Amino acid sequence: MTPTLRRKLEALVERREELERLLADPAVIGDGERFRALSREFAQLEPVAAAMAAERQARADLAAAEAMRADPELRELAEEESAAAQARLQRLEQELLAHLIPKDPRDEGDLYLEVRAGTGGDEAAIFAGDLFRMYARYAERQGWKVEVESANPGEHGGFKEIIARVEGRGAYSRLKFESGTHRVQRVPETESQGRIHTSAATVAIIPVEPEGAPIEINPAELRIDTYRSSGAGGQHVNKTDSAVRITHLPSGLVVESQTERSQHANRDKAMKRLKAMLAEAQAAKAAAAQASMRKLQVGSGDRSQRIRTYNFPQGRITDHRVEGLTLYDLPNILEGDLDALIGRLMAEHQADELARLTRGD
């Protein structure tokens, strides 16, 4: 570990000690909002302090083991303890470096999930439906809430497009690597010759804009259209122009909402998603400028890149961004058992960030 990185870790430990003193201050205790904010920061720094203390102990153990080498009777024991202490130090160094990886402030927040049929006609729409169901099942396993905001069903099942809001702690951190083109290889139900077809659907994961985020939209740059909803809601939605479509003219972004009964509520939902999309576009532009070579374009919403293939005849799923990431568990994955896949992607991202950190990028 370089001296610069070690100084950064020591600064975090000093900050944790400062927070401990502040949290004992009656003035801070009496200020509920500040106390909660400092408590959250203290909790985030506690693992750093614990790892630093463990590292100091491991270094002391190593020094003691090296001192025993001079005694012939203790030399074998000293070598065992020395090897154990060195292994512990290597593990702790990786753990400490991981604490220096910048935290994405959006990780704990909610997101918009957008799934659209790509090439492949009806089969692409069916596959888009399969993908949405997969994510919805995964969200259910995590205890997250999924609320569909707009949907355009396919003629033979699935969706030409479906957009939902996913709410739950850590939702963005676990799904942010899903943006891109997903390809499927299987025999469609409509295929009479048993031939395997290839189709695709695109996924975009867009973090919900935090409350108070500085995204300003000039009303003059918006075109707002209303139309009759085709979604759920009973007869009412088919009789009034309650659905809303908003076009942001400078960027060409279009958002729709049709799930609420009132035009006002649909407009509010559509504006929130538009702000989130504009914020994500800004973040993606900055990220691309700083890290154009990253294998996992986190939060870029880039749907031009094929990221994954779902091969039904072989029961195989392959993520093309990570070498060797192939799982033969396709049926369970499509039922929402995504932990193994997402875990590998998160680990790969952390490894990339650690490498960048140690290079000093």
Side-chain angles (χ1 to χ4, degrees):
M1 186 185 302
T2 65
T4 300
L5 295 176
R6 183 162 294 279
R7 283 195 295 271
K8 289 181 179 180
L9 286 166
E10 290 169 350
L12 291 176
V13 173
E14 291 172 3
R15 174 58 177 168
R16 182 257 181 202
E17 293 171 352
E18 179 187 8
L19 289 169
E20 190 172 28
R21 292 192 296 271
L22 286 171
L23 290 170
D25 186 336
V28 174
I29 295 173
D31 185 341
E33 184 174 344
R34 188 183 179 201
F35 183 81
R36 284 191 295 272
L38 294 179
S39 296
R40 284 194 297 269
E41 186 181 356
F42 180 84
Q44 291 171 352
L45 294 179
E46 187 67 17
V48 183
M52 287 288 279
E55 188 200 39
R56 285 194 298 272
Q57 183 60 54
R59 290 188 182 281
D61 293 343
L62 178 61
E66 291 298 319
M68 287 194 299
R69 285 181 183 272
D71 188 335
E73 295 182 0
L74 298 176
R75 185 170 298 159
E76 185 176 348
L77 175 61
E79 290 177 354
E80 291 178 1
E81 293 192 0
S82 177
Q86 288 175 348
R88 200 157 68 249
L89 280 171
Q90 290 180 355
R91 176 180 57 78
L92 286 166
E93 180 171 322
Q94 292 300 307
E95 182 180 336
L96 286 167
L97 286 173
H99 288 301
L100 289 176
I101 296 175
K103 300 293 189 296
D104 188 336
R106 306 171 299 179
D107 274 354
E108 293 302 307
D110 307 331
L111 59 93
Y112 291 107
L113 166 65
E114 303 183 353
V115 185
R116 295 179 175 86
T119 56
D122 292 336
E123 172 63 11
I126 294 170
F127 179 51
D130 292 340
L131 287 176
F132 178 76
R133 180 175 176 271
M134 176 181 75
Y135 292 125
R137 289 289 181 89
Y138 181 68
E140 182 181 350
R141 289 168 179 248
Q142 301 297 315
W144 301 337
K145 177 184 176 184
V146 178
E147 181 180 358
V148 175
E149 297 212 341
S150 68
N152 183 4
E155 293 181 5
H156 298 280
F159 298 97
K160 295 178 181 177
E161 175 186 89
I162 183 165
I163 298 170
R165 177 166 172 151
V166 181
E167 299 178 353
R169 184 173 180 181
Y172 182 70
S173 70
R174 299 196 67 80
L175 291 180
K176 63 184 179 181
F177 302 111
E178 294 301 300
S179 291
T181 298
H182 297 239
R183 183 179 68 169
V184 62
Q185 296 172 326
R186 64 183 173 188
V187 179
E189 294 181 4
T190 55
E191 171 58 58
S192 59
Q193 303 298 318
R195 293 173 296 186
I196 296 175
H197 286 224
T198 298
S199 15
T202 61
V203 174
I205 302 294
I206 301 171
V208 171
E209 182 197 26
E211 292 296 328
I215 294 293
E216 299 294 334
I217 299 178
N218 183 352
E221 297 177 341
L222 300 177
R223 184 176 73 238
I224 301 177
D225 302 306
T226 58
Y227 59 99
R228 292 187 180 182
S229 171
S230 60
Q235 295 180 346
H236 171 80
V237 295
N238 295 320
K239 292 183 178 180
T240 63
D241 292 339
S242 60
V244 173
R245 180 186 299 111
I246 300 177
T247 304
H248 183 245
L249 300 175
S251 65
L253 290 173
V254 179
V255 293
E256 299 179 351
S257 182
Q258 58 177 312
T259 56
E260 301 297 324
R261 286 182 174 270
S262 78
Q263 187 181 118
H264 177 78
N266 279 321
R267 176 171 174 160
D268 182 58
K269 275 191 170 183
M271 282 298 296
K272 286 180 178 177
R273 194 160 84 252
L274 177 60
K275 287 187 175 183
M277 293 172 71
L278 290 171
E280 173 64 359
Q282 291 180 6
K285 185 177 180 180
Q290 295 174 5
S292 60
M293 297 304 292
R294 287 185 185 177
K295 286 181 287 185
L296 301 177
Q297 290 290 325
V298 181
S300 68
D302 181 6
R303 286 161 280 170
S304 63
Q305 179 191 17
R306 186 192 70 193
I307 65 168
R308 193 175 296 152
T309 295
Y310 303 72
N311 184 295
F312 275 71
Q314 299 178 15
R316 168 176 57 83
I317 183 167
T318 299
D319 196 291
H320 305 290
R321 297 165 295 177
V322 180
E323 185 177 357
L325 181 43
T326 295
L327 302 174
Y328 289 87
D329 193 26
L330 185 55
N332 287 326
I333 289 172
L334 288 174
E335 287 297 318
D337 188 5
L338 291 172
D339 282 333
L341 184 61
I342 288 175
R344 284 286 302 277
L345 292 170
M346 294 178 73
E348 184 75 12
H349 172 63
Q350 185 179 69
D352 286 347
E353 290 296 292
L354 281 174
R356 184 179 63 82
L357 187 67
T358 51
R359 288 195 309 265
D361 293 359

